[in-house]
Amino acid sequence: MSRILLAGGAGYIGSHTAVELLEAGYEVIIADNYSNSCPEAVKRIEEITGKSVKAYELDIKDTEKLENVFKENKIDAVIHFAGLKAVGESVAKPVLYYRNNIDTTLSLLECMEKYGVNNIIFSSSATVYGEENPVPYTEEMNRGTCTNPYGWTKVMMEQILEDAAKANKDLSVVLLRYFNPIGAHVSGKIGEDPQGIPNNLMPYVAQVAVGRREQLTIFGKDYDTPDGTCRRDYIHVTDLAIGHVKAIDYVLEHKGVEIFNLGTGTPYSVTEIVETFEKVNDIKINHVYGARRPGDLPESYANADKALKVLGWKTERTLADMCRDTWNWQKNNPNGYNK
């Protein structure tokens, strides 16, 4: 049984990935400082799967504490979710983002090298395609120019991992470029629980629905899209998590660097998201239209053919599923993990 370390594994995507890995027969170890997550998520993972998870509370940047995790466990592969991820905050606090996100990557690579762990999957983002590339994005495109420090940290971390793999022929690296994860586990036990005001659309919609926010502001109605609002490739977080299981199977058998887009290939507009949420859940979302938000691209969506061809992975869940599962999580956990 392979043992997988999830750095930042108590967060939104990490927790769903932990569930899918455990159900696929892998052993899971979580290391998280709970800066944007909650220990309760680990308990819920265990409830869903009926399996135990070893969890360490530590900052991945703290190499000394991280080393103890590697000393105490024979780790076969690492999935690197750890990092700050709010675009607006990264603009306001760029040094914090560069220090935190790059240091976590370097600490992981140093510990992996010291303890002979040669397999890593990195939680990257479609933001690395920047503004120059046409949609749909394909993996062989050059990384583009990012509009914020968060995006640049993803670009830099991809480069660091590629350089490490060039220098160490035993190193296997998979870069997973996520598009827009939404939804929650079908059980309603785990889901997205952002700290403070949500930065992303779906958790904001859910918080308006449950009464935590008064109304949703949709930024811009004059984009060159069918209904004038931005279009994004929204992917159910469970489909995304299953993509990590497929990537683990792959990374354990291959060397070098591979990049995969994880998306549906179908963009939906902000207005479509709101209307679908209202329809499937029979609830009204109070919303208004505001000015465009700086840095928002009109469209962003994946070509995910490579993931299907190489990993045998494709999305199974619909936009209606994403909206239904989001509401199931939020209505059962109106204050997230803090009941």
Side-chain angles (χ1 to χ4, degrees):
M1 182 193 296
S2 296
R3 193 173 287 118
I4 316 301
L5 172 64
L6 307 189
Y12 175 44
I13 299 167
S15 59
H16 287 79
T17 300
V19 167
E20 298 303 324
L21 284 167
L22 287 163
E23 293 188 338
Y26 289 100
E27 196 173 321
V28 167
I29 298 162
I30 287 174
D32 203 303
N33 66 354
Y34 304 120
S35 64
N36 194 31
S37 59
C38 184
E40 177 65 24
V42 179
K43 292 181 193 167
R44 304 278 186 96
I45 292 164
E46 293 179 327
E47 282 176 28
I48 292 166
T49 62
K51 297 179 179 180
S52 63
V53 175
K54 191 183 280 191
Y56 292 83
E57 183 172 357
L58 60 90
D59 191 320
I60 303 297
K61 297 193 303 296
D62 188 333
T63 308
E64 194 174 315
K65 286 185 179 173
L66 184 61
E67 271 203 36
N68 288 333
V69 179
F70 282 83
K71 274 181 198 166
E72 291 172 14
N73 306 277
K74 188 190 176 302
I75 292 162
D76 296 291
V78 173
I79 306 182
H80 179 12
F81 297 107
L84 299 172
K85 62 176 187 176
V87 169
E89 185 182 52
S90 80
V91 174
K93 300 176 179 177
V95 175
L96 174 68
Y97 269 65
Y98 288 120
R99 168 67 76 190
N100 183 82
N101 291 5
I102 291 168
D103 270 10
T104 57
T105 306
L106 296 174
S107 293
L108 278 169
L109 284 170
E110 286 169 354
C111 286
M112 286 172 62
E113 184 174 23
K114 186 167 181 178
Y115 291 92
V117 180
N118 289 314
N119 306 298
I120 183 167
I121 293 170
F122 175 56
S123 171
S124 193
S125 165
T127 192
V128 304
Y129 290 111
E131 297 179 307
E132 301 92 332
N133 288 305
V135 289
Y137 301 133
T138 57
E139 290 89 348
E140 74 275 2
M141 289 175 173
N142 289 329
R143 288 184 283 251
T145 302
C146 294
T147 57
N148 56 76
Y150 161 75
W152 280 118
T153 66
K154 293 292 187 186
V155 168
M156 291 174 184
M157 288 187 282
E158 281 197 4
Q159 188 66 55
I160 289 165
L161 288 159
E162 287 181 356
D163 289 343
K166 280 179 197 163
N168 177 4
K169 298 305 179 194
D170 291 327
L171 192 61
S172 179
V173 175
V174 171
L175 308 175
L176 296 180
R177 291 177 179 167
Y178 307 163
F179 280 70
N180 292 70
I182 59 175
H185 192 267
V186 69
S187 66
K189 288 181 181 290
I190 57 173
E192 190 165 11
D193 183 22
Q195 309 293 310
I197 298 170
N199 293 288
N200 297 325
L201 173 64
M202 189 57 99
Y204 208 106
V205 168
Q207 289 189 13
V208 171
V210 84
R212 282 174 66 182
R213 307 282 163 200
E214 187 180 340
Q215 69 179 20
L216 169 74
T217 299
I218 296 173
F219 299 110
K221 203 185 178 186
D222 58 350
Y223 286 98
D224 185 16
T225 59
D227 63 19
T229 62
C230 291
R231 299 207 305 166
R232 296 286 179 268
D233 189 336
Y234 294 95
I235 174 175
H236 196 296
V237 67
T238 297
D239 280 332
L240 185 67
I242 292 166
H244 290 75
V245 179
K246 299 283 192 183
I248 280 288
D249 295 342
Y250 180 86
V251 81
L252 291 170
E253 299 297 326
H254 291 77
K255 300 298 177 200
V257 180
E258 283 288 352
I259 302 168
F260 297 100
N261 287 336
L262 295 186
T264 65
T266 303
Y268 292 101
S269 73
V270 177
T271 298
E272 284 177 288
I273 293 284
V274 173
E275 289 175 349
T276 304
F277 191 96
E278 290 181 327
K279 183 179 177 184
V280 302
N281 297 312
D282 193 24
I283 191 166
K284 293 301 289 180
I285 300 299
N286 183 20
H287 63 280
V288 297
Y289 291 91
R292 289 187 182 195
R293 189 168 54 178
D296 277 345
L297 299 173
E299 290 192 303
S300 169
Y301 59 99
N303 176 320
D305 290 350
K306 183 179 176 184
L308 175 59
K309 184 179 175 184
V310 179
L311 302 179
W313 173 90
K314 64 180 174 55
T315 59
E316 305 281 347
R317 290 155 185 81
T318 65
L319 181 59
D321 295 330
M322 300 178 210
C323 292
R324 191 180 299 110
D325 291 342
T326 297
W327 181 230
N328 186 40
W329 151 255
Q330 193 71 78
K331 73 183 179 186
N332 287 307
N333 302 271
N335 296 306
Y337 291 112
N338 300 310
K339 295 177 185 176

